[in-house]
Amino acid sequence: MADDSEDSDPKSVCDVLDRLKELGEKAGDDEAKLGSALEALGHRAYGPFFIVLPLIEMSPIGGIPGLPTTLALVLALLAVQLLLGREDLWLPGFLAKRGLEGRKLVAAADKMRPFGAWLDRWFHGRLPALTKGPMIRVAAAAILVLCATVPPLELLPFASTLPMLAILAFGLALLVRDGLLMAIACVLSVAAVGGGLGWFVSRGGEGG
């Protein structure tokens, strides 16, 4: 039975986007809920969620005030579960009931597809040992730190894109078992956190 579940899991970014587009088409003018996305992507869909939510933040929709912080909250909750080794994803009711208008989700999926196809073409299955065991917890811990940088960075338009890009890299690495990308994600994390700290220092200097 476990094998059947794994076979039904998305295997690429475009596969993830196709499922989200289908979910958005079904919702239409209504909201496509996060809980429904969890059903569509699979209850073990850590990788897909770590890809999709950053992609939404990096799209024009990410400019909606408060959305990056909300997405970071969801990502942090998922990262805690990954860190603890929980196999099945869980979302509290107040988050599971939140969502995005179906038509906007379809539009976002369509806009993100060329980038998704590029990711699928370039990243796949290198050094898979770096996507297992302790590295999974390293990724989870890094994602938690990255999520913590998002709320203050939201004060600047699209400044939270760099930490979200690092989270996306972790998600893609987990989805396609690409250890080289996992290493790149670690480097991006250091750059994102360093950039965030630099911004705080510069702002503090201006305030002084």
Side-chain angles (χ1 to χ4, degrees):
M1 295 298 292
D3 290 340
D4 292 339
S5 176
E6 290 179 3
D7 288 342
S8 66
D9 289 343
K11 300 296 191 297
S12 67
V13 179
C14 285
D15 190 5
V16 170
L17 293 176
D18 286 343
R19 295 190 188 198
L20 288 178
K21 182 176 180 178
E22 182 179 352
L23 178 64
E25 288 173 341
K26 287 181 179 178
D29 292 329
D30 296 326
E31 282 193 343
K33 308 292 185 183
L34 275 173
S36 299
L38 185 60
E39 293 292 335
L41 297 176
H43 283 270
R44 298 184 181 183
Y46 284 102
F49 266 97
F50 290 144
I51 293 170
V52 169
L53 298 184
L55 278 176
I56 290 174
E57 192 279 340
M58 293 163 61
S59 74
I61 298 174
I64 299 174
L67 182 60
T69 295
T70 300
L71 294 175
L73 175 62
V74 177
L75 289 165
L77 178 60
L78 299 180
V80 168
Q81 295 178 58
L82 183 61
L83 186 63
L84 295 176
R86 184 183 176 93
E87 291 189 358
D88 294 330
L89 290 175
W90 171 82
L91 290 174
F94 77 95
L95 285 178
K97 293 177 181 178
R98 299 206 54 169
L100 185 69
E101 183 182 328
R103 292 186 179 183
K104 290 183 179 179
L105 182 58
V106 170
D110 285 338
K111 287 182 179 179
M112 292 184 288
R113 189 171 181 82
F115 182 52
W118 181 85
L119 291 173
D120 286 338
R121 186 165 61 251
W122 284 98
F123 299 108
H124 46 78
R126 294 163 295 186
L127 305 175
L130 293 181
T131 63
K132 302 176 182 177
M135 284 303 299
I136 293 179
R137 285 178 168 77
V138 169
I143 290 170
L144 277 172
V145 174
L146 290 164
C147 288
T149 70
V150 171
L153 288 177
E154 191 180 347
L155 297 174
L156 294 176
F158 298 102
S160 56
T161 294
L162 185 54
M164 284 294 185
L165 180 61
I167 294 172
L168 186 153
F170 279 120
L172 183 58
L174 292 172
L175 178 67
V176 300
R177 307 294 184 188
D178 194 313
L180 179 59
L181 184 56
M182 183 72 84
I184 292 173
C186 290
V187 174
L188 284 174
S189 298
V190 173
V193 173
L197 288 174
W199 179 77
F200 283 122
V201 170
S202 66
R203 294 288 292 183
E206 292 175 5

